[in-house]
Amino acid sequence: MKNSDFDLEIEELALQLTDMLSATLYFAGVQEDKLKEASDAYIDAIDIVLGDDDEAEMGVEEIIKIVKYLKQNQPDLFFN
């Protein structure tokens, strides 16, 4: 595989992850018109919730912690 093929594959995977994050937030209760804002808030909350440790695990438990953090700290993103 050429480097350009790898780059394209990485870009496609990144887009899929972005879509998966939006779907996760939607099913967590984020209003559809606030998915972009919630995705940005989620990215910002990673360091707050997990710290600045670049080696920190990013599994299901950590994702749940971040979503719970958002629900507590940015309830305006979610349905009432």
Side-chain angles (χ1 to χ4, degrees):
M1 243 184 188
K2 295 184 252 174
N3 282 344
S4 61
D5 292 339
F6 285 122
D7 291 343
L8 180 59
E9 190 169 332
I10 290 169
E11 187 177 324
E12 289 172 358
L13 288 170
L15 291 172
Q16 287 177 354
L17 284 172
T18 300
D19 289 343
M20 290 173 66
L21 175 58
S22 292
T24 297
L25 293 169
Y26 175 80
F27 284 106
V30 170
Q31 300 172 50
E32 197 167 349
D33 63 334
K34 294 189 177 186
L35 285 173
K36 172 68 173 123
E37 182 181 352
S39 293
D40 292 342
Y42 179 94
I43 300 299
D44 293 340
I46 292 172
D47 287 338
I48 295 167
V49 174
L50 303 181
D52 292 331
D53 182 6
D54 291 336
E55 302 297 318
E57 286 287 319
M58 189 55 146
V60 172
E61 290 180 27
E62 291 76 19
I63 294 168
I64 291 169
K65 284 181 187 177
I66 297 166
V67 172
K68 284 182 177 180
Y69 173 86
L70 288 178
K71 283 186 168 190
Q72 291 174 346
N73 292 281
Q74 293 191 262
D76 56 302
L77 298 173
F78 297 83
F79 288 105
N80 293 329

